[in-house]
Amino acid sequence: FNVSRAIGRTLHAGDEVVVTNLDHDANVAPWVALQETGATIRRVDFDPADCTLDMAGLEAAISPRTRVVALGYASNAVGTINDVARAAELAHAAGAWLYVDAVHYAPHGPIDVQALGCDFLACSTYKFFGPHGGVLWGRYELLDALPAYKVRPAGDAPPDKFETGTQSFEALAGATAAVDYLASVGHRFGAEYAVDWAGFEGRRRDLKAGLSAIHGYERDLAEKLVSGLQAIRGLRIHGITDLERFDERVPTVSFTMDGLTAPEISRRLGESNVFAWAGNFYALSVTERLGLEDRGGLLRVGLAHYNTADEVETLLGLLDDMPR
């Protein structure tokens, strides 16, 4: 909302903002609110068959009047990784800015804003094992030029102009610890998932290596999970299931089962000490598009690097034996 309001002060009637139906509503509602400026909101759909974004539709939605394209790096509902670099090319060809919501991708792999070519990227420290706090990266010249809403004593240059007062120092300390932890993963396990990080040294290299190691480990777990889920009668995964395309998804797997609603599945798993969230996960447009919002939404299983193959086997056994 902070960034959308600042950008909103630069918009005029007839300007366009592009959002997608695959995003968390946190990357939809703040942009839709800009209709109050006279801006037009254009929505891009996704393919319900594999829950991948309609890239041709994205290209068609962008016009010379487009000012902002808001896109998720990875879907928190179905795990799809979007082609952010291609979206940046399309946006910039029209003279628009690309704003990336990387909240759900951040704990699952390294992020390189220069390689992506985005103009803004946001994430949350709680997703990569720290406390609750918002993180915004933006091209300095854009942040410097945007007219931020601010208190008068705040500095006039980034980042101070976007801060709302005294910072949350305890959250900053926790965020630092989380980043140090991820770097420690790279120092310990990076060699097992060899990636050429030429040009990076010390803690930053360890951080890149750590997230690469996490990505590799989680992919192995996700392949085991998806293969096992597909063998369960009456279970349908909503998202990419082709193992050859797993570079296009994070290890967040959502599904429905015949004869049970997602909340019922969640409750029964909870009785066996397995936590899995049911609902729309604030990605309301996804469950609406899939026709599941009025039926309890999706059952979501989110794997992380601290999960094990034994835990996956336990989950699969409970689902396979679940009465319907």
Side-chain angles (χ1 to χ4, degrees), residues 219-232 235 237 240-243 246 253 312 316:
R219 174 167 178 153
D220 292 342
L221 277 187
E223 289 183 1
K224 181 178 183 66
L225 173 64
V226 169
S227 297
L229 290 174
Q230 288 182 296
I232 297 175
L235 187 149
I237 296 173
I240 295 171
T241 57
D242 182 352
L243 300 186
F246 265 37
V253 183
V312 172
L316 293 172

Side-chain angles (χ1 to χ4, degrees), residues 21 23-25 76-77 280-290 293:
N21 289 333
D23 274 71
H24 189 293
D25 209 55
N76 74 307
N280 59 42
F281 330 113
Y282 301 99
L284 181 60
S285 296
V286 173
T287 51
E288 288 177 335
R289 180 67 177 87
L290 295 175
E293 180 58 28

Side-chain angles (χ1 to χ4, degrees), residues 131-258:
H132 280 79
V135 178
L136 172 69
W137 174 90
R139 291 201 285 121
Y140 186 89
E141 64 272 20
L142 297 183
L143 296 175
D144 192 36
L146 283 176
Y149 287 89
K150 60 183 285 296
V151 295
R152 286 179 296 165
D156 293 322
D160 302 295
K161 64 190 277 189
F162 287 99
E163 298 293 347
T164 54
T166 302
Q167 296 184 40
S168 176
F169 299 112
E170 63 275 25
L172 291 173
T176 300
V179 172
D180 286 342
Y181 164 70
L182 291 170
S184 75
V185 173
H187 185 74
R188 182 176 178 185
F189 298 105
E192 297 179 31
Y193 297 89
V195 176
D196 182 12
W197 290 112
F200 295 96
E201 297 179 353
R203 179 170 172 270
R204 192 172 187 196
R205 180 183 176 86
D206 286 342
L207 181 60
K208 295 287 189 181
L211 285 161
S212 296
I214 286 171
H215 174 78
Y217 177 80
E218 289 178 344
R219 174 167 178 153
D220 292 342
L221 277 187
E223 289 183 1
K224 181 178 183 66
L225 173 64
V226 169
S227 297
L229 290 174
Q230 288 182 296
I232 297 175
R233 175 182 55 84
L235 187 149
R236 178 187 175 186
I237 296 173
H238 297 270
I240 295 171
T241 57
D242 182 352
L243 300 186
E244 298 298 318
R245 297 178 58 200
F246 265 37
D247 283 340
E248 300 173 45
R249 69 166 303 136
V250 293
T252 301
V253 183
S254 294
F255 57 87
T256 50
M257 291 175 65
D258 293 343

Side-chain angles (χ1 to χ4, degrees), residues 1 4 13 35 45 61 75 88 95 126 129-130 161 174-175 198 221 237-239:
F1 273 107
S4 71
Q35 290 178 119
D45 205 0
S75 167
Y126 89 93
F129 321 114
K161 64 190 277 189
L221 277 187
I237 296 173
H238 297 270

Side-chain angles (χ1 to χ4, degrees), residues 107-130:
H108 299 298
I111 296 174
D112 186 334
V113 290
Q114 283 77 29
L116 293 175
C118 57
D119 300 290
F120 306 93
L121 184 142
C123 61
S124 295
T125 51
Y126 89 93
K127 277 283 189 169
F128 54 87
F129 321 114

Side-chain angles (χ1 to χ4, degrees), residues 88-121:
E89 293 174 357
L90 295 173
H92 293 160
W97 296 328
L98 180 68
Y99 181 96
V100 178
D101 172 1
V103 171
H104 198 69
Y105 183 85
H108 299 298
I111 296 174
D112 186 334
V113 290
Q114 283 77 29
L116 293 175
C118 57
D119 300 290
F120 306 93
L121 184 142

